[in-house]
């Protein structure tokens, strides 16, 4: 019984800790509506996505409607309402990359990570894949960015080798955590 | 709060020049987004590590410097040593030790690292002799690749912040606006509206607060000129904005940058901080009543925010949806106050106009479109990168002289100019002088300046579909012609590339295009049909081939591919039938197998499985 209460309490504490960071961020931007995008960007940087409860919380402390927070979060493509992977794989699909074959690369990645249509994050939350708009490195097309590291002139074969290396590394990491 | 530092530009210039002199022989390492991806930072670190006290030919002190984009991204990483009139291309971190030993200590040239002219197969040492640079006129990009963008002294030594000093001491706000108007400078963001006129509108509106905004939301896929400018010479943009603020009497400015350009954001932040420290930004600039500050706003990924009213909504923290005009931002803009919005390159042109004068500026370009323009050339071209040429340069000069022609000796097919809002230019336009009017007359536009080159292997219908998919998904959804119209247009184009369209669909597509063009609220919708209309104009036969003949002339569209087994080569090994995910391949062992075309989904799994190369793809 005591153990259970302890556990519940810990859960509450954890939640408070979670919101603590949000408080800091909103405070930093002085609760101003015009800074909402920057606030959401920082919150997403913290949690890797925008959890619904946090969006409602932000709306409450900023005294704006949850709909306006949700509206902004869904308008801009940078925001994600679903959890993203530890490795965020971004395939550039700007014109230059598209003309030089970004789609075969994208397909190869989804195949390699066994992501069927409509799924963009692996079940173990290690990888998420998305196409992005032009990254401004068109001379290196096609470009793939994984956690801010840019890979240039990528082919379907090359991307499989890159992913293999990361898979190895993430496997090792998990073992270390155990 | 007043400025403790009262900037004196003459003293600053002397001090900065002294500083730059002390850097001695400069080793310029390109650190634009492209070269960083190719390992430029490792090369820089290696230089610091190995070359701390190297002296050029035993005399001059050597300093390694990270610069902005040199433009020729295809050949990155660039390492230039101006003292020796020498540029190395495709440098790797492991080459650094050799460069120090041979080139810097003994003035020996390493042939292996020189640029090889694809036409003559000879190596070229001096970058000015490389075709890619020879035919360019660098004005706005003059400092890019020559100075360290993270050091304000390097900018000051290149006559930086002299223009704002001159403006404050010699010009009234009205005179600044008039000088800009006389130069004939037109907005470089796409529309081409006369900049000086815009400034005068904002200046004449009296208000307690006015804003100056820099639109750095360079969303066109395939364009990265503004990115190169911000990364390579951020102070030039900031100085241009300060002059604009003085001219329209504003005290607060915003730079709205795309979130996809983290390096540009970082360098702008550094530049703003340095300018504040020196007293070029802040309160009482140069000891006058004029005060101006700049804030950076990062976008969050929405193409429509390049539209000025949508951009304003985004800065206010809302969904980036456009508003009907009028009221124009010059009257009621950010937070309802008069607002000046210009593009990055427009601001970058201002210092040139002020330092020389309007007449000098007009020496480049054409009568209606004076000055130079940056373009990014990419796609199926030999030399892709960032370039700057006078307006009025022909397409041929850009594609063949600077761009070095089409990759792999393929045939030129078309150039898409101005991204998803622009149109395509074909062989018949090679002699067309690129300026605002001539492009408009052929149904294209300068846009921001992205040039994507396509060859005979590019399917033009697929490209049109790609652009429409882009604008459709970026439509903000506010007005119906754009939201629903682009969706239906995309649907028809998808039918065409899937081989399921009929002739009447083509007519419907044209009608829809007209509706979207006329009925949409903002620039995004108004220009969304452009790629479709211009490709329909010049490549109607390709559309017809897809619809009537059910084939894709470029061999790109998967729907028209058939996979066949060559009976002469097939040994009946059964391998292909085993890998086929839809059981479309059948036959008896040791006899010829056949593919059921009805069932086949063209996944290509059988192609790689055949040990006898008997399975082939046909168009």
């Amino acid at each position: 019984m005591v153990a259970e209460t302890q556990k519940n309490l810990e859960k509450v504490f954890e939640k408070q800790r979670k919101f603590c960071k949000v408080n800091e961020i909103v405070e930093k931007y002085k609760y101003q509506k015009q800074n909402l995008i920057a606030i959401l960007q920082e919150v997403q940087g913290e949690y890797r996505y925008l959890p619904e409860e946090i969006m409602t919380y932000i709306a409450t402390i900023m005294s704006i409607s949850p709909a306006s927070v949700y509206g902004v979060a869904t308008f801009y493509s940078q925001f994600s309402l679903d959890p993203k992977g530890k490795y965020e794989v971004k395939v550039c699909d700007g014109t230059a990359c598209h003309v030089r074959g970004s789609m075969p690369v994208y397909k190869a990645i989804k195949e390699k990570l066994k992501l069927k249509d409509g799924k963009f994050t692996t079940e173990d939350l290690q990888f998420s894949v998305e196409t992005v708009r032009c990254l401004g490195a068109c001379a290196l097309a096609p470009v793939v960015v994984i956690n801010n590291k840019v890979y240039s002139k990528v082919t379907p074969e090359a991307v499989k080798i890159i992913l293999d290396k990361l898979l190895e590394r993430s496997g090792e990491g998990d073992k270390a955590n155990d | 709060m007043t400025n403790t530092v009262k900037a004196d530009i003459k003293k600053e210039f002397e001090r900065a020049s002294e500083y730059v002199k002390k850097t001695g022989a400069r080793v310029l390492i390109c650190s634009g987004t492209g070269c960083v991806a190719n390992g430029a930072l490792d090369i820089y670190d290696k230089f610091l590590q190995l070359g701390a006290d190297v002296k050029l030919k035993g005399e001059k002190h050597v300093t390694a410097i990270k610069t902005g984009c040199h433009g020729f991204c295809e050949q990155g990483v660039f390492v230039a040593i101006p003292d020796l009139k020498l540029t190395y291309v495709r440098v790797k971190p492991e080459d650094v030790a050799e460069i120090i030993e041979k080139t810097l200590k003994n003035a020996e040239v390493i042939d292996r690292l020189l640029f090889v002219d694809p036409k003559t197969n000879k190596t070229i040492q001096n970058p000015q002799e490389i075709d890619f640079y020879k035919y360019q006129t660098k004005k706005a990009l003059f400092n890019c690749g020559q100075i360290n963008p993270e050091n304000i002294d390097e900018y000051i030594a290149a006559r930086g912040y002299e223009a704002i000093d001159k403006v404050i001491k010699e010009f009234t706000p009205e005179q600044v606006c008039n000088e800009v108007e006389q130069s004939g400078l037109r907005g470089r963001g796409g529309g081409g509206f006369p900049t000086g006129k815009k400034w005068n509108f904002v200046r004449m509106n009296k208000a307690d607060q006015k804003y100056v905004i820099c639109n750095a939301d360079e969303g066109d896929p395939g364009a990265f000129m503004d990115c190169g400018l911000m990364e390579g010479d951020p102070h030039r943009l900031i100085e241009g904005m300060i002059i604009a603020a003085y001219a329209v009497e504003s005290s607060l400015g915003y730079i709205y940058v795309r979130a996809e350009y983290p390096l540009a954001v970082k360098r702008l932040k550094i530049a703003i901080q340095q300018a504040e420290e020196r007293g070029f930004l802040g309160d009482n600039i140069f000891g006058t009543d004029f005060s101006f500050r700049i804030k950076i706003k990062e976008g969050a990924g929405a193409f429509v925010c390049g539209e000025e009213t949508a951009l304003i909504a985004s800065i206010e923290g809302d969904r980036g949806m456009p508003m009907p005009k009028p009221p124009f931002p010059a009257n009621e803009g950010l937070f309802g106050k008069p607002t000046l919005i210009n593009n990055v390159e427009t601001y970058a042109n201002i210092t040139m106009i002020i330092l020389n004068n309007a007449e000098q500026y007009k020496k480049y370009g054409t009568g209606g479109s004076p000055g130079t323009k940056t373009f990014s050339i990419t796609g199926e071209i030999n030399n892709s990168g960032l370039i700057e040429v006078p307006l009025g340069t022909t397409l041929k000069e850009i594609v063949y002289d600077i761009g070095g022609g089409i990759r792999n000796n393929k045939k030129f097919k078309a150039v898409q100019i101005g991204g998803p809002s622009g149109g395509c230019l074909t062989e018949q336009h090679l002699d067309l002088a690129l300026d605002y009017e001539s492009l408009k007359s052929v149904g294209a536009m300068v846009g921001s300046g992205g040039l994507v080159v396509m060859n005979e292997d590019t399917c033009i219908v697929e490209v049109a579909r790609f652009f429409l998919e882009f604008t459709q998904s970026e439509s903000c959804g506010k007005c119906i012609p754009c939201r629903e119209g682009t969706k239906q247009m995309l649907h028809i184009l998808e039918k065409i590339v899937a081989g399921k369209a009929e002739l009447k669909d083509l007519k419907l597509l044209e009608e829809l295009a007209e509706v979207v063009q006329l009925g949409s609220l903002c620039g995004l919708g108004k220009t969304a049909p452009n790629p479709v209309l211009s490709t329909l104009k010049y490549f109607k036969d390709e559309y017809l081939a897809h619809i009537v003949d059910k084939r894709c002339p470029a061999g790109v569209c998967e729907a028209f591919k058939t996979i066949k087994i060559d009976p002469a080569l097939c040994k009946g090994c059964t391998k292909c039938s085993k890998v086929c995910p839809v059981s479309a391949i059948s036959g008896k062992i040791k006899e010829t197998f056949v593919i059921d075309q009805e069932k086949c989904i063209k996944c290509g799994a059988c192609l790689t499985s055949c040990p006898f190369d008997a399975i082939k793809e046909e168009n």
Side-chain angles (χ1 to χ4, degrees):
Chain A
M1 190 61 190
V2 178
E4 207 166 290
T5 323
Q6 186 76 25
K7 226 178 192 176
N8 280 338
L9 262 179
E10 254 168 40
K11 260 187 194 164
V12 173
F13 285 148
E14 202 192 306
K15 213 169 206 179
Q16 274 184 346
R17 272 198 296 274
K18 210 170 167 184
F19 284 173
C20 187
K21 193 74 208 174
V22 179
N23 280 335
E24 264 172 44
I25 295 169
V26 180
E27 180 101 39
K28 190 172 113 188
Y29 286 102
K30 299 182 188 132
Y31 299 87
Q32 280 175 341
K33 166 86 197 303
Q34 54 164 303
N35 292 328
L36 182 59
I37 294 172
I39 289 169
L40 293 181
Q41 276 168 337
E42 277 203 28
V43 169
Q44 176 158 301
E46 199 64 37
Y47 301 95
R48 281 195 271 161
Y49 78 112
L50 295 174
E52 203 180 311
E53 46 176 6
I54 287 183
M55 281 196 286
T56 331
Y57 181 70
I58 291 173
T60 314
I61 58 171
M62 286 178 71
S63 314
I64 47 178
S65 70
S68 53
V69 176
Y70 187 77
V72 167
T74 49
F75 185 82
Y76 297 96
S77 62
Q78 197 190 22
F79 298 123
S80 170
L81 303 191
D82 301 310
K84 288 206 174 170
K86 185 174 148 201
Y87 293 104
E88 278 183 53
V89 185
K90 294 177 183 168
V91 183
C92 179
D93 196 27
T95 320
C97 288
H98 188 80
V99 170
R100 282 195 186 176
S102 56
M103 278 300 107
V105 172
Y106 178 64
K107 268 189 205 161
I109 296 171
K110 287 197 83 177
E111 212 171 88
K112 177 84 199 170
L113 299 174
K114 300 195 183 76
L115 290 167
K116 293 267 158 57
D117 280 320
K119 283 202 79 181
F120 303 98
T121 307
T122 54
E123 266 170 29
D124 57 0
L125 289 184
Q126 286 293 319
F127 288 90
S128 55
V129 189
E130 59 182 329
T131 57
V132 291
R133 299 297 180 221
C134 189
L135 293 164
C138 311
L140 312 174
V143 173
V144 172
V145 179
I146 304 176
N147 285 6
N148 293 328
K149 185 168 165 44
V150 183
Y151 297 87
S152 56
K153 297 190 178 171
V154 180
T155 60
E157 293 76 34
V159 86
K160 281 184 184 167
I161 297 171
I162 296 168
L163 288 178
D164 267 332
K165 277 195 185 145
L166 292 178
L167 277 168
E168 239 170 67
R169 211 184 295 162
S170 74
E172 275 165 23
D174 285 352
K175 262 176 224 157
N177 284 338
D178 290 343
Chain B
M1 195 183 90
T2 49
N3 251 317
T4 43
V5 251
K6 202 193 270 180
D8 179 342
I9 197 65
K10 273 199 186 117
K11 274 188 194 154
E12 290 276 348
F13 177 75
E14 277 163 27
R15 200 175 66 181
S17 304
E18 199 57 35
Y19 164 82
V20 172
K21 221 174 175 181
K22 273 190 199 147
T23 56
R26 297 154 69 88
V27 178
L28 307 172
I29 300 157
C30 178
S31 308
T33 295
C35 282
V36 167
N38 278 334
L41 298 182
D42 294 338
I43 293 176
Y44 176 72
D45 288 343
K46 213 65 199 238
F47 261 109
L48 288 193
Q49 198 188 329
L50 300 173
D53 16 72
V54 172
K55 295 225 157 72
L56 184 69
K57 281 181 281 177
E59 287 167 33
K60 247 184 182 173
H61 174 71
V62 172
T63 312
I65 291 165
K66 281 188 282 183
T67 71
C69 186
H70 288 225
F72 204 175
C73 311
E74 183 84 34
Q75 297 282 332
V77 178
F78 257 78
V79 175
I81 309 167
D83 271 37
L84 299 174
K85 286 206 171 69
L86 179 88
T87 290
Y88 287 138
V89 298
R90 294 181 194 261
V91 178
K92 298 265 168 303
E94 49 270 29
D95 298 323
V96 173
E98 198 181 342
I99 294 175
I100 290 174
E101 278 310 310
K102 287 190 177 162
T103 311
L104 292 176
K105 286 189 181 164
N106 299 308
E108 209 179 296
V109 177
I110 306 165
D111 275 344
R112 167 173 62 85
L113 295 174
L114 289 177
F115 176 74
V116 180
D117 190 325
K119 283 179 192 154
T120 58
N121 260 332
K122 279 187 186 144
T123 55
I124 299 177
Q125 195 174 325
N126 185 350
Q128 289 315 315
E129 287 162 21
I130 297 174
D131 281 355
F132 182 79
Y133 291 110
K134 198 159 62 181
Y135 298 107
Q136 289 193 50
T137 311
K138 292 211 175 191
K139 292 282 169 192
L141 294 173
F142 187 78
N143 287 338
C144 269
Q146 303 302 318
I147 65 167
N148 179 354
E150 296 180 13
N151 187 325
I152 191 170
D153 279 328
E154 299 224 349
Y155 179 69
I156 294 173
R159 295 185 71 192
Y161 292 108
E162 200 182 308
I164 181 63
D165 179 67
K166 185 176 171 187
V167 158
I168 289 181
K169 287 187 180 139
E170 298 171 20
F171 287 69
T172 62
E174 191 179 352
Q175 283 170 325
V176 183
C177 295
N178 291 343
E179 188 73 18
V180 174
E181 193 165 341
Q182 271 186 10
S183 74
L185 172 66
R186 297 172 67 170
R188 296 290 192 249
F193 190 81
T195 306
K197 231 178 218 167
K198 210 182 212 178
W199 288 27
N200 261 323
F201 286 151
V202 182
R203 183 184 61 80
M204 284 186 284
N205 276 319
K206 296 286 168 232
D208 53 341
Q209 176 73 60
K210 295 183 200 174
Y211 297 100
V212 167
I213 297 178
C214 172
N215 182 349
D217 191 49
E218 187 178 41
D220 282 10
F224 52 96
M225 298 82 54
D226 294 348
C227 177
L229 247 167
M230 289 186 284
E231 286 176 5
D233 198 4
H235 284 288
R236 180 185 291 264
L237 161 64
I238 290 168
E239 191 180 357
M241 283 182 75
I242 303 173
I243 296 171
Y246 177 79
V248 303
E249 294 166 338
S250 154
S251 60
L252 185 57
Y254 289 93
I255 306 178
Y256 187 89
V257 200
R258 303 175 72 198
E260 286 87 342
Y261 290 167
L263 189 59
V265 172
K266 182 186 148 208
R267 292 204 174 140
L268 281 170
K269 280 186 179 159
I270 294 174
I272 289 174
Q273 198 201 338
Q274 289 175 340
E276 279 172 355
E277 282 165 9
R278 298 293 175 94
F280 300 129
L281 272 177
D283 294 331
N284 304 95
I285 296 169
F286 289 112
T288 62
D289 291 343
F290 171 54
S291 304
F292 184 59
R293 292 182 182 279
I294 295 178
K295 289 184 182 172
I296 292 182
K297 280 271 175 182
E298 283 179 61
F303 177 67
V304 69
C305 288
E307 207 281 337
E308 49 188 17
T309 54
L311 188 147
I312 288 173
S314 185
I315 293 183
E316 290 171 356
D318 287 318
R319 289 163 70 94
M321 303 237 243
M323 299 280 283
K325 289 190 269 191
F328 288 94
N331 302 319
E332 274 178 49
L334 187 60
F335 304 116
K337 303 289 182 188
T339 304
L340 174 73
I341 303 188
N342 279 134
N343 157 276
V344 174
E345 198 186 334
T346 316
Y347 286 123
N349 271 283
I350 300 299
T351 51
M352 268 182 276
I353 297 170
I354 301 293
L355 278 183
N356 305 317
N357 56 46
E359 290 312 309
Q360 245 349 67
Y361 184 79
K362 279 198 263 191
K363 281 191 178 157
Y364 294 93
T366 61
S369 315
T372 53
K373 172 86 190 84
T374 58
F375 289 99
S376 58
I377 41 172
T378 54
E380 298 294 337
I381 191 153
N382 275 320
N383 307 335
S384 43
L386 175 64
I387 64 162
E388 183 171 357
V389 290
L391 280 157
T393 304
T394 65
L395 186 60
K396 199 191 225 159
E397 286 169 270
I398 292 177
V399 173
Y400 287 96
D401 294 342
I402 298 172
I406 310 302
R407 289 210 302 177
N408 306 327
N409 287 321
K410 295 263 182 174
K411 207 172 152 260
F412 172 84
K413 186 173 191 172
V415 167
Q416 171 72 24
I417 181 166
S421 324
C424 72
L425 300 171
T426 65
E427 235 178 326
Q428 53 169 304
H429 301 122
L430 278 174
D431 288 314
L432 184 80
L434 300 184
D435 63 41
Y436 293 96
E437 275 76 30
S438 64
L439 280 168
K440 211 171 178 184
S441 70
V442 296
M445 64 187 244
V446 176
S448 53
L451 293 173
V452 182
V453 181
M454 292 173 271
N455 69 10
E456 53 191 323
D457 293 337
T458 320
C459 173
I460 230 78
V461 186
E462 215 294 312
V463 169
R465 186 205 61 78
F466 168 78
F467 278 121
L468 213 70
E469 186 185 24
F470 179 87
T471 35
Q472 191 270 324
S473 71
E474 291 294 341
S475 169
C476 77
K478 182 165 180 166
C479 70
I480 297 163
C482 175
R483 184 181 69 219
E484 299 301 328
T486 52
K487 201 166 209 162
Q488 294 309 321
M489 284 177 71
L490 178 64
H491 181 63
I492 296 176
L493 283 167
E494 276 168 353
K495 262 168 81 180
I496 296 177
V497 295
K500 288 176 188 158
E502 299 166 47
L503 267 179
K504 64 173 188 202
D505 288 323
L506 207 56
K507 198 155 174 273
L508 188 61
L509 182 67
E510 277 175 290
E511 269 173 35
L512 263 169
E514 203 181 327
V515 172
V516 175
Q517 217 169 27
L518 292 173
S520 295
L521 176 64
C522 81
L524 187 142
K526 282 189 178 124
T527 56
N530 282 357
V532 175
L533 289 173
S534 81
T535 50
L536 259 176
K537 190 167 162 193
Y538 301 113
F539 296 98
K540 194 155 194 174
D541 49 333
E542 273 198 40
Y543 279 87
L544 292 175
H546 282 76
I547 297 168
V548 182
D549 309 338
K550 303 285 173 207
R551 71 183 178 89
C552 172
V556 173
C557 299
E558 275 184 21
F560 303 110
K561 281 181 189 159
T562 47
I563 298 175
K564 282 185 181 152
I565 300 177
D566 186 346
L569 293 171
C570 178
K571 303 260 194 273
C573 73
T574 75
K575 272 199 176 136
C576 57
S577 70
K578 279 178 194 150
V579 297
C580 181
V582 289
S583 309
I585 310 179
S586 57
K588 276 186 189 151
I589 194 160
K590 286 184 183 167
E591 280 176 30
T592 305
F593 276 61
V594 283
I595 302 174
D596 184 347
Q597 297 298 340
E598 294 278 294
K599 282 189 191 164
C600 175
I601 55 163
K602 288 140 192 153
C603 68
C606 52
L607 284 169
T608 44
S609 75
C610 180
F612 310 106
D613 286 333
I615 307 180
K616 288 185 184 90
E617 212 171 40
E618 285 171 19
N619 286 309

